[in-house]
Amino acid sequence: MSNIIIGTAGHIDHGKTSLIKALNGYEGDETKEEKQRGITIDLSFSNLKRAQQNIAFIDVPGHEKLVKNMIAGAFSFDCVMLVVAANEGIMPQTVEHIEIMSLLGVKELIVAITKKDLVLKEDLELQKNRIKNFLEDFDFDLKFISCVSTHDEKSIESLKEKLFTLKNTNKTQENFFRYYVDRVFSVKGIGTVVTGTVLGNKCELDEKVFIPHLNKETRIKNIQVHNQNAIEANISNRTALNLQNIKAVDLKRGDLISKKGFLRGFDTLDISFKCLKGKQLHHNRTYSLFIGSKKVEVKVLLFDSIASLESGFATIKAKEPFFSIYKEKIILRESNHTIAGGIVLNCVNDPMKKSQKKFLLKSLDEADYKQSYKILLDAHKKGLGLISSAQRFALSHDQAVEFGKNLENVFCDEKELVIYPIETKEYIKKQIKDIYTKNKYALLSNAAIKLRIKWASSSFIQSVLDELEEENFLVKERSLYKNANIKEDFSKNLEDVVSKRLEEENLSPTAPYNIYDDLDIDRKLGDTILKSLCSKKQVFRMQHNLFIHANSLTKIVQEMKNIIKEDGYIDIKNFKERYPLSRKYLIAYLDYLDNFSQIKKVDNKRVFLSEFV
């Protein structure tokens, strides 16, 4: 089905709500307060349908004090219908609404001149010309101007026909589902329901979605598109979602719903901005920021700390995280005045110098991804995750991988979705060489090296190992690598090395993995060596990570028996008085006494059976 969202804009009492009612019969001002005051206070949603075409209307408030509600709806517009009363023409809120639409990048515009029955024909033509001249200062694609009266059914039908000539949504299809909540409520027997406009990509019935600020996944129990149950909701669909196991009190207007794994939250955004004519943004000043249907108080920090600017780059700081994406539009207001519009360029807070950040923003502003990746890799020597490309650059994983593969002087790990600057390979190579130079009998696998260089992917490490093989520095035996200059098979001698190490450590042996790391041997190989030593009774396993040499164990067992003879018992207290070991060792050795038939445990003490006393 063809979907398009048309938002109204215009001054208070110019007939926006009445026009929507004439078009589709929907009475927008439904609340008691709205009916009493005679103005639209909040967003109002309705639609007009013909065959496979669906036009959704978002009727927004025109009163100057309610512009914040108007902005909440404007983010989802595909097209704006500027409503101007023929008897009044362009008024203050007409101007502000159009300025906001321009700042948000809404391009398609239609004009409905209402109340045409209140003016003469020649005055109507004058209004048309005034509106055209007014719009010349903006970059809109004016589709048509239609003169109507809610008392003239023919003019309303003519407008309908023109509306159905408009093309489908012009929103860019993103790589994942996004949805800003504009209303939330609870329905008895159903649960929590939210309403909003589908952005990015579709959502489906029974699909799992993610609420980032709650860090919680939920399931879509039901979908309604314009009050009709549906199995999916597509981009630009006005949609109600019934969410499972989510409390209505935990959600509010402006909260984002998306898919797990795509968005990270940060309390800063880097933007480019442009102020309205005669306005400026001031450094280190607080403004109201509007993004999606969200409003939040923020501090604006201009780059280079310039006092004020009409356009440029800035960092936005808030007391709560944003879950934004590249090229998302924002509005900045101060008090009741719109100051500037902006575009999110960098939504991930990267640790980088200010000079690097400025170059990054320039390249992102120009959509120069190649240069952007290069700058980011300078700041991320230990790898840049491609999985964040959907948020950073609005690229899919496949697009990001393809782009990463074509970058010069990088290593692209397609499996783990990470790219590394090529100079980082030399850093890893040096670390591996240092291990085998320091200990010529080192015997390590890829996995063992990764335990030491945790930030490097297995594929990246393998590429380094392959190069060291080609350089005849290492030789591979099965899954292990040894120094190429050592010709003899020394793996059998490692049993003696481990056994000697445990014997030297006596009653306080090191945990096995620490021994393996110290000796630069692979963990699997180390486990095999310990199993062999245990089977030969040279080493005994006391606990999961506690192995003791047989000689040491024999000595401590005899010493524990001597304590029982002297004190009549042994427990942790009198054992520790003779052998100030850590509790881990004391308990392990005491538990080992339970293997002897002449010793029994009484409460927390070990004693000899009477016949052995």
Side-chain angles (χ1 to χ4, degrees), residues 175-176 261-264 266 324-326 346-348 350 373 376 380 383-397 400 416-419:
N175 302 306
F176 58 98
F262 284 95
L263 296 175
R264 288 187 291 161
F266 298 92
S324 184
I325 63 168
Y326 177 58
N346 183 38
C347 47
V348 178
D350 293 292
Y373 270 118
L376 285 168
H380 293 270
L384 178 65
L386 290 174
I387 197 166
S388 66
S389 294
Q391 184 174 11
R392 282 185 183 275
F393 307 118
L395 296 175
S396 68
H397 289 175
E416 296 192 30
L417 293 173
V418 184
I419 53 175

Side-chain angles (χ1 to χ4, degrees), residues 18 89 115 258 331 373 394 486 502 539 542 546 552 589 594-595 599 604:
S18 298
K115 307 181 183 182
S258 185
I331 294 289
Y373 270 118
I486 308 299
L502 288 172
V539 169
M542 308 299 289
L546 177 55
S552 301
Y589 300 144
D594 297 336
N595 294 313
I599 296 173
N604 291 320

Side-chain angles (χ1 to χ4, degrees), residues 38 129 157 165 333 339 364 395 419 447 471 484 519 525 554 603:
N129 291 329
E157 287 301 318
T165 65
R333 303 189 85 226
I339 305 298
L364 289 171
L395 296 175
I419 53 175
E471 295 170 10
L519 298 176
L525 175 62
T554 299
D603 296 325

Side-chain angles (χ1 to χ4, degrees), residues 495 528-540:
E495 282 192 16
T528 301
I529 289 170
L530 279 179
K531 286 178 183 177
S532 176
L533 289 172
C534 286
S535 67
K536 296 174 183 177
K537 304 296 183 182
Q538 292 181 30
V539 169
F540 286 83

Side-chain angles (χ1 to χ4, degrees), residues 462-477:
Q462 190 59 52
S463 71
V464 177
L465 291 171
D466 291 343
E467 286 187 10
L468 290 172
E469 264 198 288
E470 290 175 10
E471 295 170 10
N472 292 320
F473 181 82
L474 294 179
V475 174
K476 186 177 183 181
E477 292 186 354

Side-chain angles (χ1 to χ4, degrees), residues 3-29:
N3 294 295
I4 188 169
I5 293 180
I6 296 177
T8 63
H11 197 73
I12 185 173
D13 290 333
H14 275 209
K16 296 186 296 297
T17 303
S18 298
L19 179 58
I20 297 299
K21 183 181 179 182
L23 286 168
N24 63 13
Y26 179 74
E27 179 69 66
D29 299 334

Side-chain angles (χ1 to χ4, degrees), residues 422-474:
I422 205 67
E423 59 263 30
T424 303
K425 182 180 278 192
E426 294 304 315
Y427 172 80
I428 294 176
K429 186 179 286 188
K430 182 180 182 303
Q431 281 201 299
I432 296 173
K433 279 188 171 183
D434 285 348
I435 292 170
Y436 284 88
T437 301
K438 179 183 175 184
N439 179 6
K440 63 181 182 178
Y441 293 111
L443 202 58
L444 295 168
S445 65
N446 182 314
I449 293 170
K450 181 165 173 55
L451 289 170
R452 298 172 183 226
I453 313 173
K454 293 181 171 62
W455 51 265
S457 71
S458 297
S459 296
F460 194 27
I461 292 171
Q462 190 59 52
S463 71
V464 177
L465 291 171
D466 291 343
E467 286 187 10
L468 290 172
E469 264 198 288
E470 290 175 10
E471 295 170 10
N472 292 320
F473 181 82
L474 294 179

